[in-house]
Amino acid sequence: MSQRIYLPKYLDIGANAVANLPLLLADLRCKKPLVLSDKVMDNIGNVSRIRDLLAKHDIASDQFLDTMTEPDEASLLPAVELFKSGGFDCIIALGGGSVIDSAKAIGLLAKHGGRMRDYKVPHIVNEEIVPIVAIPTTAGTGSEVTKVTIITDNDTDEKMLCMGPGLLPVASIIDYELSMTAPARIAADTGIDALTHAIEAYVSQKAGLFTEQLALSAMGLIAPNLREAVNNPKNLLAKEKIMLGANMAGMAFSNASVALVHGMSRPIGAHFHVPHGMSNAMLLPDITEFSIPSAIDKYADCARAMGIADKHESDKVAVAALIEELVQLNADLGVPSLAEFGVKEAEYFDSLDLMAEQAIASGSPGNNPKVPSKEDIIQLYRKVWH
Ligand SMILES: [Fe+2]
């Protein structure tokens, strides 16, 4: 079976790669960028750093900072209007996954109009959007290299999955020095999100040799370094490895899809506002245990790639170590239970049927090595309520 791979046209990777931005814009023939970011990035000086750099190279820019964490459609509209009225020719997305996801959706709506729900799966976004230069400041979502954006529908609270090659940023700057300021909670959640991308891309029914190698490398970069990168953010080497690992995991899952963890995670995020990486972390051990019987060899490979089992150990021993490690990782990184996070038990159990339907509708559970029924998903939602 062959696999078609979509990647950005340009990747600038490494310390101070952000200095290449003016040259990159010249290569892209972009002359008037809109810098899309958020207040946090502005407060720590990253927005002015980028705009000063542009000004130094006689590139006029403007900024939009009112992006929203886990964006909904309404949050995009002022930026769409600003883009259309301001004569801009590209968007520089500076921030975490939410900023980059917002940029993709703004670039789509600014060029083609309509509502975000017009573009959700099963629609494939082949439409060419405004060129996006993505500069991630957290190591996690991989949005800088994916053809995916997640936007919440304001009417239904659904976290809509929108997907297609049109949504790929044309260029990405992967500068791990920009991730040094991410708070520990965000570094932990986004790091587990990246690890989940790598594991799910590897076991996905849409995996191929190319994405498998990316996913295994990503696991090898993320798993042994995540605790250190979170607990000691000044450890440059750990930060560099996590940033690169998250990026490679993004390339892997963008081309091989995610699976059941992400399928079940989005409804938890939409209904109970649990951050994306955290809800993945809450689900990952139990969903992995559910899926192992259908792909024990692949999950054993994950354990070996993560450095928690060696190649002489049997698959059975390796997958037991994997489950143990995923549970321990959540404990070490302070991932709360759903109840500890503040999800109300009655509301949660009342929502199981709807959440299971939304999980299935996203298509992601269909990529899982063990494809669950709706009843299986409901049982798994019950199980993760600790
Ligand atoms: Fe994710």
Side-chain angles (χ1 to χ4, degrees), residues 243-314:
M243 193 77 163
L244 185 61
N247 183 260
M248 294 171 85
M251 292 189 220
F253 96 78
S254 180
N255 290 290
S257 295
V258 281
L260 184 56
V261 178
H262 273 76
M264 289 178 62
S265 177
R266 290 184 211 104
I268 292 179
H271 291 278
F272 302 107
H273 307 289
V274 181
H276 171 70
M278 186 185 281
S279 54
N280 281 343
M282 291 165 169
L283 291 161
L284 187 57
D286 286 325
I287 306 304
T288 301
E289 194 170 32
F290 167 83
S291 307
I292 279 173
S294 296
I296 187 168
D297 52 338
K298 289 202 107 177
Y299 282 102
D301 291 341
C302 293
R304 294 180 190 110
M306 289 165 62
I308 50 171
D310 69 38
K311 59 180 181 204
H312 306 297
E313 260 148 355
S314 69

Side-chain angles (χ1 to χ4, degrees), residues 1 58 108 234:
M1 198 178 80
D58 298 321
L108 175 62
K234 296 207 161 47

Side-chain angles (χ1 to χ4, degrees), residues 331-351:
D332 292 349
L333 296 179
V335 175
S337 66
L338 284 158
E340 284 164 353
F341 181 80
V343 177
K344 300 274 177 291
E345 186 168 3
E347 276 177 49
Y348 181 77
F349 282 87
D350 283 350
S351 307

